[in-house]
Amino acid sequence: MTDTVVIQLPVPPSANRIWRIAGTRLTKTGKRAPNVIKSPAYRAWQDEAGWLLRSQRPGRVAGAYDLTITLPKVRIDPDNAVKGASDILVKHNIIDDDKFARRITIERDDEAEAMVVTVRSAA
């Protein structure tokens, strides 16, 4: 466990591009419903970001946390980067669950080359 984790990641696809409909599926009640899957772009980003994250050997922040996302100069709505960053942190056990976020700050740094994600314990 640690109090602060700082990692660099590629910018995720927009939250609007995470999910795709791939046909239909049969529900438990026998009705047809859209089959929603992760988009190929989002799966590819998760793979790339996961390898980069592991190579940085970050620690783990347990419980409540504050999240700061610093974006480089990119064309993405800043709040759309939060979902991807939070998902990758949970997937790789850096945080317990994104529901424990106490504060989320998003900022831009036009000089940055990658997205910088900082997780600080709020305990």
Side-chain angles (χ1 to χ4, degrees):
M1 302 291 177
T2 186
D3 288 333
T4 303
V5 169
V6 180
I7 52 176
Q8 290 190 359
L9 298 171
V11 176
S14 170
N16 299 323
R17 293 182 49 221
I18 291 176
W19 304 105
R20 291 290 171 254
I21 295 175
T24 60
R25 62 180 171 80
L26 207 54
T27 66
K28 290 180 182 179
T29 60
K31 295 183 180 181
R32 293 221 169 264
N35 187 29
V36 181
I37 62 169
K38 290 179 185 175
S39 72
Y42 190 62
R43 286 194 314 267
W45 175 82
Q46 282 190 319
D47 288 346
E48 179 186 3
W51 283 108
L52 287 169
L53 188 149
R54 283 190 294 271
S55 73
Q56 296 171 61
R57 299 189 180 273
R60 180 169 167 9
V61 175
Y65 65 93
D66 295 333
L67 177 65
T68 301
I69 298 172
T70 304
L71 292 170
K73 188 175 184 176
V74 290
R75 292 185 56 157
I76 186 173
D77 289 341
D79 59 334
N80 279 335
V82 174
K83 177 67 175 157
S86 294
D87 282 356
I88 204 77
L89 293 172
V90 171
K91 183 175 182 173
H92 290 274
N93 206 28
I94 307 302
I95 58 174
D96 294 323
D97 194 312
D98 50 355
K99 71 181 178 183
F100 295 123
R102 296 291 183 241
R103 177 180 299 130
I104 299 173
T105 305
I106 308 164
E107 54 194 22
R108 287 199 188 264
D109 179 356
D110 291 345
E111 303 300 317
E113 295 183 20
M115 178 174 72
V116 178
V117 178
T118 306
V119 182
R120 286 190 179 87
S121 175

